[in-house]
Amino acid sequence: MKAIQISDYRKMAVVEVEEPQMKSNEVLLRLQYVGFCGSDLSTYLGKNPMVKMPVIPGHEVGAVIEKVGADVPEGLKPGMVVTVNPYTNCGKCASCRNGRVNACQHNETLGVQRNGAMRTMIALPWEKVIPAGLLTPRTCALIEPMSVGFHAVSRAQVTDIDVVFVIGCGMVGMGAVVRSVQRGATVVAADIDDEKLALARQMGASYTINTLTEDVHQRLMEMTSGFGPDVVIEAVGNPHTYQMAVDEVAFTGRVICIGYAKSEVSFQTKFFVQKELDIRGSRNAQPSDFRAVIHYLEKGQCPVDALISNVVKPEDAPEAMSQWAENPGKVFRILVDFTE
C-alpha cells in the first residue's frame, strides 16, 4: 500500500509498504485525510531531535473504520468516521501514575518516535480511536492540533475574569484562543502575520498584536489597565517569545509553555520570584480535550476552510512540504488526501 516517508534531510517520497496486520484488540482504519504539522516540518528539515528516521509522518487523522478486531467494544463499527489519539503511555512512569498520561515519560507519538498515519491504512489499539460524531474526515484532521491548545488552557486554569495573551496563531495557538474564549476570558492574540491575526479575531480574540510592527508591552498595558495579562500561553517555541511571556505576564500570573525552543533561553529569573509566577509546561492532550474539540467543531462555528491552507494527493506531498519549508509563516495546515 501507499505511504509517505521522510528518509533524510529534505528527502520525502511516496513508497510502498506492507498492509498492517490487525490484532484482536485493534481497529483497522482507512485513512482519508492526514495533516502535516510543525513537527513533521522539523523532521523534514532535520531539526527534530526526537524522531527516529526513516519515518512515516502524520498524527493528525481523519479516517473511516475499515474493520474491527474480535476484542474491540461494540461502540466502534466499520464505516464510522473517527480521529486518533496518537500518543502512547507506559502506565508505569510518574506521569501515568498521576493520571496525566499525555505527559508519559516514555511516550511515542505517531509520526515521530514510531511510524505515523501518512498511509492508506493503519491498525491501532481500539483505545486510541475516537469517534468523531457528525464531523467529516477532512475536518477530523484538525482535531489533534486544536486539542493541544485546548489542553494548554486547562493547564492554565483559565476563567472568565482572566486576560489571556496567546503568543503564536498557528493551529495550536488558535485552539488556545478558542478554548479561552469559550471559558469567558478576554483574549489577546499575537503573531507576526496579519492574516493569522485577522483569523484569530474571527475565532473570538478581542485584541490582536503584530509583534513585528507594534510595541507589545505598551499595547498590553493599555489593554489591561497596566496590570499585564493574567495568563500567557507560549505557542511558538522561540527564545524571544519565551522571554516575552515571562516579561509581560502579570504579577502572580500563569505562564503556559507549549512550544519547544530550539536553543537555550536566558531569563531574568528575578521575575519568577518577584511576580510569584506559576510556570507550567503543557504537552499533547487528554482524551477530554479531544472530545471538547469535537464538540466545538460540531457546532459549525469554526471557519474550517480558512484553517486548511492546501489539500494535496500523496504524490504531491513532497512538493507541498518543500514549499512550506520556504515560507512556513503562511501555512496553517496542509492535508494529504488519501481518498480514492
Side-chain angles (χ1 to χ4, degrees):
M1 68 178 186
K2 188 181 300 183
I4 295 170
Q5 185 182 74
I6 301 173
S7 58
D8 206 342
Y9 172 70
R10 286 183 176 268
K11 290 186 178 181
M12 175 185 288
V14 177
V15 298
E16 287 293 322
V17 297
E18 293 184 1
E19 292 190 7
Q21 300 298 310
M22 186 185 68
K23 299 176 183 177
S24 63
N25 68 328
E26 290 185 333
V27 176
L28 182 65
L29 303 181
R30 183 170 292 275
L31 281 307
Q32 303 285 292
Y33 293 89
V34 184
F36 278 124
C37 81
S39 65
D40 299 323
L41 179 60
S42 294
T43 298
Y44 178 74
L45 294 175
K47 297 180 179 180
N48 189 343
M50 296 180 289
V51 75
K52 295 180 180 179
M53 300 277 261
V55 68
I56 298 171
H59 54 256
E60 302 174 359
V61 172
V64 174
I65 294 178
E66 181 82 3
K67 188 178 179 182
V68 298
D71 297 329
V72 173
E74 293 184 2
L76 296 173
K77 300 180 182 298
M80 290 180 65
V81 175
V82 297
T83 191
V84 166
N85 181 334
Y87 324 120
T88 64
N89 57 283
C90 68
K92 300 176 182 179
C93 69
S95 298
C96 290
R97 181 181 63 184
N98 292 330
R100 290 161 65 178
V101 296
N102 57 292
C104 175
Q105 182 178 352
H106 306 291
N107 168 67
E108 293 185 353
T109 299
L110 284 174
V112 185
Q113 294 95 343
R114 57 191 173 126
N115 281 325
M118 289 276 180
R119 45 179 148 170
T120 305
M121 291 192 290
I122 189 171
L124 294 169
W126 68 265
E127 296 92 339
K128 299 299 180 182
V129 178
I130 303 172
L134 300 176
L135 298 182
T136 66
R138 182 173 176 267
T139 299
C140 284
L142 304 179
I143 293 171
E144 192 274 342
M146 291 194 76
S147 72
V148 175
F150 272 45
H151 182 66
V153 173
S154 294
R155 292 282 293 142
Q157 297 175 300
V158 170
T159 72
D160 58 352
I161 62 172
D162 288 323
V163 175
V164 179
F165 181 38
V166 179
I167 308 175
C169 292
M171 278 295 300
V172 171
M174 287 298 186
V177 168
V178 168
R179 194 57 164 164
S180 297
V181 170
Q182 287 184 328
R183 292 191 175 200
T186 300
V187 178
V188 183
D191 202 277
I192 61 175
D193 186 274
D194 286 332
E195 292 180 10
K196 289 184 177 180
L197 293 174
L199 186 54
R201 286 193 293 271
Q202 187 178 345
M203 298 182 78
S206 298
Y207 306 97
T208 57
I209 300 175
N210 187 313
T211 59
L212 284 182
T213 61
E214 300 180 76
D215 187 319
V216 175
H217 180 73
Q218 180 179 338
R219 289 291 314 281
L220 287 173
M221 291 299 100
E222 293 170 353
M223 296 169 189
T224 63
S225 302
F227 290 105
D230 305 284
V231 174
V232 179
I233 297 176
E234 200 288 336
V236 177
N238 181 286
H240 175 69
T241 51
Y242 261 83
Q243 291 170 340
M244 181 188 296
V246 172
D247 290 347
E248 300 299 341
V249 71
F251 274 64
T252 68
R254 290 99 75 196
V255 175
I256 308 302
C257 307
I258 310 175
Y260 283 87
K262 305 299 188 295
S263 58
E264 292 184 359
V265 184
S266 298
F267 290 108
Q268 291 289 337
T269 55
K270 66 179 182 180
F271 289 150
F272 296 6
V273 178
Q274 289 179 348
K275 293 186 176 183
E276 198 174 53
L277 298 181
D278 289 332
I279 300 177
R280 305 174 185 176
S282 182
R283 184 182 179 192
N284 300 332
Q286 291 271 21
S288 59
D289 300 308
F290 282 83
R291 293 196 300 271
V293 173
I294 292 169
H295 182 64
Y296 162 66
L297 292 172
E298 283 183 325
K299 294 178 181 178
Q301 299 171 350
C302 178
V304 170
D305 290 340
L307 296 175
I308 300 173
S309 304
N310 197 8
V311 180
V312 298
K313 285 294 188 179
E315 293 76 13
D316 299 319
E319 177 61 24
M321 181 63 84
S322 177
Q323 292 177 1
W324 187 17
E326 298 306 318
N327 194 6
K330 287 294 183 181
V331 172
F332 274 104
R333 272 304 175 272
I334 297 170
L335 303 188
V336 179
D337 178 0
F338 282 89
T339 61
E340 298 178 354

